[in-house]
Amino acid sequence: MTLLAPFKHITAFKLSKLSMFLGAASPLESFRIKTPDGEPIEPVIAAPLPPTPTEILQDIGNNLRQLREYKQMSREDISALTQIQPRLIQAIEEGHIEMLPESVFVKGMIKRYGDSLGLDGRTIASQVPKWEPEVATFDPITKLQTTGFSSPMRVSPGRLYFGYTLAIVSLGACASHLIDNATKPPALPTSVPMAQPRPAAIPAVNAVEPAQPSPGVGVEIVVQSPTWAQIGIDGTTKFTGNLKVGTQLNWIATKQITINTNNAGGLVISRGKQPAKPLGKIGQKQSVTIKVSK
Protein backbone atom coordinates (compact mmCIF):
# COMPACT_ATOMS: atom_id res chain seq x y z
CA MET A 1 0.00 0.00 0.00
CA THR A 2 2.86 2.36 0.67
CA LEU A 3 4.06 1.84 -2.88
CA LEU A 4 0.77 3.17 -4.33
CA ALA A 5 0.61 6.33 -2.23
CA PRO A 6 2.56 8.58 -4.68
CA PHE A 7 0.23 7.55 -7.53
CA LYS A 8 -2.75 8.63 -5.47
CA HIS A 9 -1.34 12.16 -5.23
CA ILE A 10 -0.64 12.20 -8.98
CA THR A 11 -4.14 11.00 -9.72
CA ALA A 12 -5.65 13.66 -7.46
CA PHE A 13 -3.56 16.32 -9.21
CA LYS A 14 -4.71 15.20 -12.65
CA LEU A 15 -8.35 15.14 -11.62
CA SER A 16 -8.12 18.67 -10.17
CA LYS A 17 -6.55 19.90 -13.42
CA LEU A 18 -9.23 18.13 -15.49
CA SER A 19 -12.02 19.69 -13.45
CA MET A 20 -10.41 23.11 -13.93
CA PHE A 21 -10.32 22.66 -17.71
CA LEU A 22 -13.84 21.36 -17.82
CA GLY A 23 -15.12 24.30 -15.82
CA ALA A 24 -13.30 26.87 -17.96
CA ALA A 25 -15.01 28.60 -20.82
CA SER A 26 -14.38 27.39 -24.36
CA PRO A 27 -11.94 29.45 -26.46
CA LEU A 28 -14.79 30.10 -28.96
CA GLU A 29 -16.83 31.70 -26.17
CA SER A 30 -14.89 34.96 -26.55
CA PHE A 31 -15.95 35.27 -30.22
CA ARG A 32 -19.70 35.06 -29.59
CA ILE A 33 -21.78 38.24 -29.92
CA LYS A 34 -23.06 39.44 -26.54
CA THR A 35 -25.50 42.01 -25.26
CA PRO A 36 -24.29 45.07 -23.31
CA ASP A 37 -25.05 43.06 -20.14
CA GLY A 38 -22.71 40.30 -21.24
CA GLU A 39 -25.44 37.81 -22.22
CA PRO A 40 -24.65 35.81 -25.38
CA ILE A 41 -26.93 36.29 -28.37
CA GLU A 42 -28.11 33.07 -29.89
CA PRO A 43 -27.88 32.99 -33.72
CA VAL A 44 -31.17 33.11 -35.66
CA ILE A 45 -31.55 30.45 -38.27
CA ALA A 46 -33.33 31.84 -41.35
CA ALA A 47 -36.37 29.96 -42.63
CA PRO A 48 -35.86 28.29 -46.01
CA LEU A 49 -37.15 30.31 -49.00
CA PRO A 50 -40.16 28.93 -50.85
CA PRO A 51 -39.40 27.33 -54.21
CA THR A 52 -39.58 29.59 -57.25
CA PRO A 53 -41.96 28.90 -60.15
CA THR A 54 -38.96 27.76 -62.19
CA GLU A 55 -37.95 25.21 -59.54
CA ILE A 56 -41.52 23.88 -59.24
CA LEU A 57 -41.82 23.56 -63.02
CA GLN A 58 -38.44 21.81 -63.15
CA ASP A 59 -39.59 19.23 -60.58
CA ILE A 60 -42.85 18.57 -62.44
CA GLY A 61 -41.14 18.40 -65.81
CA ASN A 62 -38.37 16.12 -64.50
CA ASN A 63 -40.94 13.66 -63.10
CA LEU A 64 -42.86 13.65 -66.38
CA ARG A 65 -39.65 13.11 -68.34
CA GLN A 66 -38.58 10.17 -66.15
CA LEU A 67 -41.96 8.47 -66.56
CA ARG A 68 -41.89 9.13 -70.31
CA GLU A 69 -38.45 7.56 -70.64
CA TYR A 70 -39.54 4.64 -68.43
CA LYS A 71 -42.36 3.97 -70.87
CA GLN A 72 -39.86 4.30 -73.76
CA MET A 73 -41.77 7.15 -75.38
CA SER A 74 -40.14 10.00 -77.29
CA ARG A 75 -41.16 13.63 -77.27
CA GLU A 76 -42.56 13.11 -80.76
CA ASP A 77 -44.82 10.35 -79.39
CA ILE A 78 -46.12 12.70 -76.69
CA SER A 79 -46.56 15.45 -79.30
CA ALA A 80 -48.68 13.15 -81.47
CA LEU A 81 -50.94 12.33 -78.50
CA THR A 82 -51.25 15.84 -77.04
CA GLN A 83 -50.82 18.11 -80.11
CA ILE A 84 -48.04 19.96 -78.21
CA GLN A 85 -44.92 20.93 -80.13
CA PRO A 86 -41.82 18.92 -79.17
CA ARG A 87 -39.88 22.10 -78.35
CA LEU A 88 -42.54 23.09 -75.80
CA ILE A 89 -42.47 19.59 -74.30
CA GLN A 90 -38.70 19.93 -73.85
CA ALA A 91 -39.13 23.39 -72.30
CA ILE A 92 -41.63 21.95 -69.78
CA GLU A 93 -39.32 19.03 -68.91
CA GLU A 94 -36.33 21.34 -68.38
CA GLY A 95 -38.29 24.13 -66.63
CA HIS A 96 -37.52 26.90 -69.14
CA ILE A 97 -40.29 29.34 -68.24
CA GLU A 98 -38.86 32.02 -70.53
CA MET A 99 -39.56 29.77 -73.54
CA LEU A 100 -43.17 29.05 -72.56
CA PRO A 101 -46.38 31.07 -72.86
CA GLU A 102 -48.41 32.24 -69.87
CA SER A 103 -48.97 29.83 -67.00
CA VAL A 104 -52.64 29.29 -67.84
CA PHE A 105 -51.63 27.76 -71.20
CA VAL A 106 -48.82 25.74 -69.61
CA LYS A 107 -51.32 24.20 -67.17
CA GLY A 108 -53.36 22.94 -70.10
CA MET A 109 -50.23 21.47 -71.72
CA ILE A 110 -49.16 19.69 -68.53
CA LYS A 111 -52.68 18.30 -68.06
CA ARG A 112 -52.59 16.75 -71.54
CA TYR A 113 -49.01 15.57 -70.98
CA GLY A 114 -49.97 13.84 -67.74
CA ASP A 115 -53.09 12.29 -69.28
CA SER A 116 -51.02 10.87 -72.15
CA LEU A 117 -48.84 9.04 -69.58
CA GLY A 118 -51.84 7.60 -67.74
CA LEU A 119 -51.64 10.06 -64.83
CA ASP A 120 -54.19 12.46 -63.35
CA GLY A 121 -53.28 15.43 -65.49
CA ARG A 122 -55.68 17.80 -63.75
CA THR A 123 -54.06 17.20 -60.34
CA ILE A 124 -50.56 17.68 -61.75
CA ALA A 125 -51.58 20.87 -63.56
CA SER A 126 -53.04 22.30 -60.35
CA GLN A 127 -49.50 22.30 -58.87
CA VAL A 128 -48.22 24.64 -61.58
CA PRO A 129 -47.73 28.12 -60.08
CA LYS A 130 -48.81 31.32 -61.74
CA TRP A 131 -46.15 33.58 -63.24
CA GLU A 132 -46.05 36.65 -65.39
CA PRO A 133 -44.57 36.24 -68.87
CA GLU A 134 -40.99 37.47 -68.87
CA VAL A 135 -39.55 39.97 -71.29
CA ALA A 136 -37.31 38.19 -73.77
CA THR A 137 -33.86 39.36 -72.67
CA PHE A 138 -31.98 36.21 -73.68
CA ASP A 139 -30.35 35.24 -76.94
CA PRO A 140 -32.68 32.68 -78.57
CA ILE A 141 -29.89 31.11 -80.67
CA THR A 142 -27.57 30.61 -77.69
CA LYS A 143 -30.43 29.34 -75.51
CA LEU A 144 -31.45 26.78 -78.08
CA GLN A 145 -27.91 25.52 -78.48
CA THR A 146 -27.22 25.22 -74.73
CA THR A 147 -30.51 23.44 -73.97
CA GLY A 148 -30.35 21.01 -76.84
CA PHE A 149 -33.25 22.51 -78.79
CA SER A 150 -33.20 22.05 -82.52
CA SER A 151 -31.55 24.98 -84.26
CA PRO A 152 -33.70 27.41 -86.27
CA MET A 153 -34.64 26.27 -89.75
CA ARG A 154 -32.23 27.45 -92.42
CA VAL A 155 -33.51 28.12 -95.91
CA SER A 156 -31.35 26.84 -98.73
CA PRO A 157 -30.05 29.34 -101.32
CA GLY A 158 -32.02 27.55 -104.04
CA ARG A 159 -35.32 28.17 -102.26
CA LEU A 160 -34.39 31.78 -101.63
CA TYR A 161 -33.56 32.28 -105.31
CA PHE A 162 -36.87 30.71 -106.36
CA GLY A 163 -38.76 32.94 -103.92
CA TYR A 164 -37.04 36.09 -105.15
CA THR A 165 -37.69 35.13 -108.78
CA LEU A 166 -41.39 34.51 -108.10
CA ALA A 167 -41.71 37.86 -106.31
CA ILE A 168 -40.03 39.73 -109.18
CA VAL A 169 -42.26 38.06 -111.79
CA SER A 170 -45.38 38.92 -109.78
CA LEU A 171 -44.34 42.55 -109.42
CA GLY A 172 -43.61 42.74 -113.15
CA ALA A 173 -47.05 41.36 -114.03
CA CYS A 174 -48.77 43.86 -111.72
CA ALA A 175 -46.78 46.77 -113.14
CA SER A 176 -47.59 45.70 -116.73
CA HIS A 177 -51.30 45.49 -115.90
CA LEU A 178 -51.28 48.96 -114.34
CA ILE A 179 -49.42 50.46 -117.33
CA ASP A 180 -51.87 48.89 -119.79
CA ASN A 181 -54.84 50.28 -117.90
CA ALA A 182 -53.22 53.73 -117.66
CA THR A 183 -52.40 53.97 -121.41
CA LYS A 184 -55.63 52.41 -122.72
CA PRO A 185 -57.96 55.14 -124.08
CA PRO A 186 -61.31 55.37 -122.37
CA ALA A 187 -64.09 53.45 -124.06
CA LEU A 188 -66.48 55.64 -126.01
CA PRO A 189 -70.14 55.36 -125.16
CA THR A 190 -72.16 53.29 -127.60
CA SER A 191 -74.74 56.04 -127.95
CA VAL A 192 -74.24 59.79 -127.67
CA PRO A 193 -77.12 61.47 -125.85
CA MET A 194 -78.81 64.40 -127.49
CA ALA A 195 -77.87 67.80 -126.21
CA GLN A 196 -81.46 68.48 -125.27
CA PRO A 197 -83.27 65.13 -125.09
CA ARG A 198 -86.99 65.28 -125.36
CA PRO A 199 -88.73 62.92 -122.95
CA ALA A 200 -90.54 60.08 -124.63
CA ALA A 201 -93.55 60.49 -122.40
CA ILE A 202 -94.83 63.68 -120.85
CA PRO A 203 -96.67 63.48 -117.52
CA ALA A 204 -100.38 63.79 -117.59
CA VAL A 205 -100.10 67.31 -116.19
CA ASN A 206 -97.99 68.24 -119.20
CA ALA A 207 -100.39 66.72 -121.69
CA VAL A 208 -101.42 69.04 -124.47
CA GLU A 209 -105.02 70.07 -124.21
CA PRO A 210 -107.13 69.01 -127.15
CA ALA A 211 -107.01 71.57 -129.91
CA GLN A 212 -110.51 72.90 -130.29
CA PRO A 213 -111.69 75.97 -132.02
CA SER A 214 -111.24 78.72 -129.50
CA PRO A 215 -110.79 82.44 -129.48
CA GLY A 216 -107.65 81.91 -127.31
CA VAL A 217 -103.94 82.03 -128.21
CA GLY A 218 -101.59 79.03 -128.20
CA VAL A 219 -98.80 79.15 -125.58
CA GLU A 220 -95.65 77.02 -125.84
CA ILE A 221 -92.96 76.74 -123.13
CA VAL A 222 -89.67 74.89 -123.81
CA VAL A 223 -87.29 74.04 -120.96
CA GLN A 224 -83.60 74.74 -121.81
CA SER A 225 -82.10 74.20 -118.33
CA PRO A 226 -83.43 72.49 -115.20
CA THR A 227 -85.80 74.71 -113.29
CA TRP A 228 -88.71 74.79 -110.89
CA ALA A 229 -91.85 76.50 -112.08
CA GLN A 230 -95.50 77.14 -111.26
CA ILE A 231 -97.58 77.94 -114.35
CA GLY A 232 -101.12 79.28 -114.39
CA ILE A 233 -103.41 79.78 -117.42
CA ASP A 234 -106.33 82.19 -117.13
CA GLY A 235 -106.20 82.07 -113.32
CA THR A 236 -105.98 78.24 -113.08
CA THR A 237 -102.74 76.52 -111.97
CA LYS A 238 -101.78 74.02 -114.65
CA PHE A 239 -98.36 72.84 -113.40
CA THR A 240 -96.17 72.97 -110.27
CA GLY A 241 -92.85 71.17 -109.95
CA ASN A 242 -89.39 70.57 -111.43
CA LEU A 243 -88.87 70.60 -115.18
CA LYS A 244 -86.17 68.67 -117.04
CA VAL A 245 -84.22 69.88 -120.04
CA GLY A 246 -86.14 69.34 -123.30
CA THR A 247 -89.60 69.32 -121.77
CA GLN A 248 -92.20 71.11 -123.93
CA LEU A 249 -95.50 72.42 -122.56
CA ASN A 250 -98.47 73.70 -124.61
CA TRP A 251 -101.71 75.41 -123.53
CA ILE A 252 -104.42 77.69 -124.93
CA ALA A 253 -104.82 80.98 -123.07
CA THR A 254 -107.58 83.54 -123.55
CA LYS A 255 -106.68 86.13 -120.92
CA GLN A 256 -103.27 85.76 -119.26
CA ILE A 257 -100.31 83.50 -118.37
CA THR A 258 -98.80 83.53 -114.85
CA ILE A 259 -95.31 82.01 -114.30
CA ASN A 260 -93.31 81.75 -111.04
CA THR A 261 -89.80 80.25 -111.44
CA ASN A 262 -86.35 80.15 -109.82
CA ASN A 263 -84.54 80.07 -113.19
CA ALA A 264 -86.17 82.48 -115.62
CA GLY A 265 -83.46 81.92 -118.24
CA GLY A 266 -84.27 78.20 -118.36
CA LEU A 267 -87.77 78.79 -119.81
CA VAL A 268 -88.31 79.89 -123.42
CA ILE A 269 -91.90 81.02 -124.08
CA SER A 270 -93.74 81.76 -127.27
CA ARG A 271 -97.38 82.77 -127.73
CA GLY A 272 -99.37 83.13 -130.88
CA LYS A 273 -97.26 84.31 -133.79
CA GLN A 274 -94.71 86.10 -131.60
CA PRO A 275 -91.10 84.78 -131.65
CA ALA A 276 -89.92 82.64 -128.74
CA LYS A 277 -87.66 84.28 -126.15
CA PRO A 278 -86.34 83.46 -122.66
CA LEU A 279 -88.42 84.57 -119.76
CA GLY A 280 -85.36 86.14 -118.08
CA LYS A 281 -81.72 85.47 -117.10
CA ILE A 282 -80.22 82.13 -116.04
CA GLY A 283 -80.61 81.61 -112.29
CA GLN A 284 -82.95 84.59 -111.91
CA LYS A 285 -86.06 84.20 -109.75
CA GLN A 286 -89.01 85.79 -111.43
CA SER A 287 -92.79 86.00 -111.16
CA VAL A 288 -94.51 87.41 -114.27
CA THR A 289 -98.03 87.74 -115.65
CA ILE A 290 -98.32 87.96 -119.44
CA LYS A 291 -101.46 89.33 -121.09
CA VAL A 292 -102.60 87.38 -124.09
CA SER A 293 -103.34 89.22 -127.34
CA LYS A 294 -104.18 87.67 -130.66
Side-chain angles (χ1 to χ4, degrees), residues 274-287:
Q274 297 182 8
K277 62 179 181 179
L279 188 62
K281 297 181 180 180
I282 296 293
Q284 179 183 10
K285 293 182 179 181
Q286 195 166 350
S287 179

Side-chain angles (χ1 to χ4, degrees), residues 189-200 223-224 244-247:
T190 56
S191 61
V192 180
M194 299 295 293
Q196 294 181 352
R198 185 165 181 169
V223 181
Q224 289 190 342
K244 297 181 180 180
V245 175
T247 302

Side-chain angles (χ1 to χ4, degrees), residues 208-247:
V208 180
E209 294 182 358
Q212 297 179 358
S214 170
V217 176
V219 178
E220 182 181 64
I221 299 175
V222 179
V223 181
Q224 289 190 342
S225 63
T227 182
W228 177 90
Q230 184 181 54
I231 303 172
I233 303 296
D234 296 334
T236 303
T237 301
K238 296 293 184 179
F239 177 82
T240 301
N242 295 317
L243 294 171
K244 297 181 180 180
V245 175
T247 302

